[in-house]
Amino acid sequence: MESLRLIDEWPVDNAAAGVVSASGEVRGRHGDPARPFRLASVTKLLTAYTAHIAIEEGVVELDTPAGPEGSTVAHLLAHTSGLAFDAHKAMAEPGTRRLYSNAGFEELADALAEHSGIEFAEYQREGLFEPLGMTSTRLDGSPAAGAVSTLDDLLRFAAELQSPKLLAPETLAAATEIAFTGLNGVLPGFGHQKPNDWGLGFEIRDHKSPHWTGANSSPRTFGHFGQSGTFLWVDPEAGHACVGLADRSFGPWAAQVWPPFTDAVLAELPA
């Protein structure tokens, strides 16, 4: 895909990008597919998927209490627990505001470890990374932002997000629908959004503006970006997913180049 070569124009030292279809076919890749990149908050997609695996395995349920008083697993996944961004401190009543929270995902992982009796990183490795062949991916720190992975591994994960084999399709479908509808909040790096729609662990494009995906991305597009200069989106209407990785922290450069890059990728996909 010629559109992937646009990463050569990004103001970064190293970058890699790829596109995979819903059938699992890699349409194209550019850059070193085996180079490890810090994922930052793209880690949350891996943590959320692990949580949904745990739910299907009966470790916890969406309404299992977790986090601050009155909060549940679902609240933590949807950033509605009321926890602060990076502090384990309640700032609002659960379910009343969309407060993006790293602390919430840390408490989610703690709850999964407590209920399963298995360290979260080990549960994730056995339940997610090994079955998908993500041999170069590891959780090296916080379950909110500490993963390291490669383009090839994330393309495997992006294929799973379109045609799940580790989850029931209906589970993934429910996770990528808006949870706790109508809540406003700040999308980090892109300001206050009304509403700030989110699924159960997945940010949902909807009609947010500005946004890190493209102007032509469908409202059903879901995924996440990371402050380390990384992103993963799935556009169900386009039937494809895209992974972008870089080694420069998110900033105005990313907000400027990512949307037109996404639109160029979408324009090159088969109708």
Side-chain angles (χ1 to χ4, degrees), residues 3-17 229-231 243-248 253-254 256-258 260-262:
S3 55
L4 296 180
R5 296 184 179 276
L6 290 171
I7 67 172
D8 293 338
E9 301 174 10
W10 293 1
V12 303
D13 291 331
N14 297 282
T230 57
F231 66 79
V243 175
L245 303 171
D247 58 359
R248 180 181 177 184
W253 73 268
Q256 180 178 355
V257 303
W258 285 352
F261 171 80
T262 291

Side-chain angles (χ1 to χ4, degrees), residues 55-111:
I55 290 168
E56 285 203 346
E57 291 181 345
V59 174
V60 292
E61 298 179 355
L62 284 173
D63 60 1
T64 297
E69 182 69 28
S71 173
T72 66
V73 167
H75 287 114
L76 294 173
L77 281 165
H79 295 287
T80 58
S81 70
L83 284 173
F85 173 60
D86 260 333
H88 295 260
K89 175 184 178 182
M91 304 295 290
E93 290 295 318
T96 61
R97 293 172 61 189
R98 190 85 66 189
L99 294 177
Y100 183 83
S101 176
N102 287 333
F105 267 67
E106 293 169 354
E107 297 207 12
L108 172 65
D110 288 344

Side-chain angles (χ1 to χ4, degrees), residues 202-221:
F202 303 87
E203 196 230 323
I204 297 175
R205 173 72 171 89
D206 201 13
H207 299 287
K208 293 173 183 167
S209 181
H211 198 258
W212 54 276
T213 60
N216 295 321
S217 296
S218 78
R220 294 177 58 204
T221 298

Side-chain angles (χ1 to χ4, degrees), residues 23-238:
S23 66
E25 177 185 357
V26 176
R27 296 287 189 184
R29 55 167 68 86
H30 189 62
D32 185 348
R35 180 185 177 87
F37 288 86
R38 294 183 303 108
L39 300 188
S41 284
V42 173
T43 301
K44 291 182 175 71
L45 296 179
L46 303 174
T47 297
Y49 212 80
T50 304
H52 289 292
I53 291 172
I55 290 168
E56 285 203 346
E57 291 181 345
V59 174
V60 292
E61 298 179 355
L62 284 173
D63 60 1
T64 297
E69 182 69 28
S71 173
T72 66
V73 167
H75 287 114
L76 294 173
L77 281 165
H79 295 287
T80 58
S81 70
L83 284 173
F85 173 60
D86 260 333
H88 295 260
K89 175 184 178 182
M91 304 295 290
E93 290 295 318
T96 61
R97 293 172 61 189
R98 190 85 66 189
L99 294 177
Y100 183 83
S101 176
N102 287 333
F105 267 67
E106 293 169 354
E107 297 207 12
L108 172 65
D110 288 344
L112 295 178
E114 176 184 353
H115 285 273
S116 68
I118 305 172
E119 182 186 11
F120 177 77
E122 178 64 16
Y123 190 96
Q124 185 174 63
R125 183 181 65 81
E126 294 182 0
L128 178 60
F129 299 159
E130 288 186 354
L132 293 185
M134 297 172 67
T135 57
S136 298
T137 303
R138 68 183 188 275
L139 181 59
D140 187 19
S142 168
V148 175
S149 190
T150 64
L151 176 62
D152 273 352
D153 272 14
L154 288 180
L155 288 173
R156 293 184 181 95
F157 180 58
E160 170 72 11
L161 290 176
Q162 298 177 88
S163 300
K165 296 176 175 57
L166 304 182
L167 288 179
E170 54 268 27
T171 298
L172 180 58
T176 55
E177 294 177 352
I178 300 171
F180 304 97
T181 59
L183 296 183
N184 301 330
V186 173
L187 177 62
F190 290 90
H192 202 75
Q193 303 283 341
K194 298 182 178 182
N196 188 19
D197 289 333
W198 223 278
L200 294 172
F202 303 87
E203 196 230 323
I204 297 175
R205 173 72 171 89
D206 201 13
H207 299 287
K208 293 173 183 167
S209 181
H211 198 258
W212 54 276
T213 60
N216 295 321
S217 296
S218 78
R220 294 177 58 204
T221 298
F222 64 87
H224 221 292
F225 82 90
Q227 288 291 323
S228 58
T230 57
F231 66 79
L232 187 162
W233 56 253
V234 177
D235 190 333
E237 298 296 333

